[in-house]
Amino acid sequence: MTRENQSEKKMMNKDNADKKSEKEGLENQKQELSFTEGSVFGSMIRFALPVLGALILQAAYGAVDLLVVGQFGDASSISAVGTGSAFMQMVTFIITSLAMGSTVIIGQHIGEKKTKETGDTVGTTIILFAMIGIAATILLEIFAGSVLHILQVPEASLEKAIIYMRICSAGILIIIAYNVISGVLRGVGNANLPFIFVGIACVVNIIGDLLFVAVFRMDARSQYFVPE
């Protein structure tokens, strides 16, 4: 093979590699929405709908628990799960709101093409939320009874409510991990994966509730086996 043929072959390989990279870049752009190019309104709608769906599914956890326990449990179980799930929804709402702050900052840095600042924000977010998760888990495990006394839970359902809250509190780190990962993904413009994640978790939650409450008759304690 002559030098000219070798040069032509290298040029062809380089062109093919460039075309492949360009194709991959276009595919990534389809998955990750950009608010700096094209129609902002269309991108906003495509981004907002999965976010709204994920928030609704997250809020549905307690409703599903309450619905299943209401069908197969007694009045004290319904009261325990109702109070506990309402409090845990508030905790989840706070975590989600804080994670959205990270999403905004990450999105801003990506829009400004500041790679180092984006990495620093992600690292800081992980450390901050890990500390929040550990502190919240310890506090709620220790003071679950005190919190429920403040909420004036009836004595008949207090013990079950404490068990339910402590079991849910043990999963706070999982809730935080989901929201941190979702915040990072949304920051880079991908709102579909968090929606898929929480959708799968909801299906697992429904199956677990039916299995442990309806079949094994474990009442409010069944939430131990069902991820939040």
Side-chain angles (χ1 to χ4, degrees):
M1 184 180 292
T2 64
R3 291 182 178 179
E4 293 181 357
N5 290 335
Q6 290 178 348
S7 298
E8 289 178 359
K9 187 175 181 180
K10 289 180 179 179
M11 289 295 293
M12 290 177 63
N13 291 335
K14 184 179 179 181
D15 290 340
N16 291 333
D18 292 339
K19 290 179 180 178
K20 184 177 180 181
S21 298
E22 184 179 353
K23 184 179 179 181
E24 291 176 351
L26 291 173
E27 290 178 352
N28 290 332
Q29 287 179 359
K30 292 179 181 178
Q31 295 178 352
E32 298 175 358
L33 296 174
S34 173
F35 292 96
T36 59
E37 298 176 358
S39 173
V40 175
F41 180 77
S43 297
M44 187 179 298
I45 294 298
R46 292 196 301 273
F47 182 83
L49 289 178
V51 174
L52 178 62
L55 292 175
I56 292 173
L57 289 178
Q58 267 191 291
Y61 276 110
V64 170
D65 293 346
L66 188 59
L67 178 63
V68 175
V69 171
Q71 290 292 324
F72 301 98
D74 54 20
S76 62
S77 300
I78 296 172
S79 175
V81 173
T83 306
S85 62
F87 182 82
M88 291 308 300
Q89 282 180 10
M90 183 190 71
V91 173
T92 302
F93 174 77
I94 294 172
I95 294 170
T96 304
S97 301
L98 292 173
M100 284 184 178
S102 300
T103 300
V104 172
I105 297 174
I106 292 171
Q108 182 179 354
H109 288 326
I110 289 176
E112 295 172 349
K113 301 188 184 303
K114 295 181 178 179
T115 306
K116 182 180 182 303
E117 286 79 357
T118 302
D120 291 341
T121 302
V122 173
T124 302
T125 299
I126 292 172
I127 295 172
L128 175 63
F129 276 88
M131 294 172 61
I132 292 174
I134 293 171
T137 300
I138 293 172
L139 290 173
L140 289 178
E141 290 291 337
I142 295 174
F143 298 107
S146 300
V147 171
L148 292 170
H149 276 296
I150 294 173
L151 295 175
Q152 298 182 350
V153 177
E155 288 294 331
S157 59
L158 181 60
E159 183 179 352
K160 291 182 179 180
I162 292 174
I163 293 173
Y164 179 85
M165 183 173 288
R166 283 178 174 165
I167 290 170
C168 290
S169 298
I172 284 180
L173 283 173
I174 298 175
I175 298 173
I176 286 178
Y178 162 76
N179 281 283
V180 169
I181 294 171
S182 298
V184 173
L185 289 173
R186 289 166 184 159
V188 300
N190 191 334
N192 293 323
L193 277 180
F195 177 66
I196 293 172
F197 292 158
V198 74
I200 293 172
C202 275
V203 173
V204 174
N205 183 53
I206 293 171
I207 295 173
D209 279 349
L210 292 173
L211 178 64
F212 292 107
V213 176
V215 179
F216 295 149
R217 299 290 179 179
M218 295 187 68
D219 207 28
R221 293 172 297 172
S222 66
Q223 305 311 312
Y224 178 81
F225 300 97
V226 182
E228 278 287 338

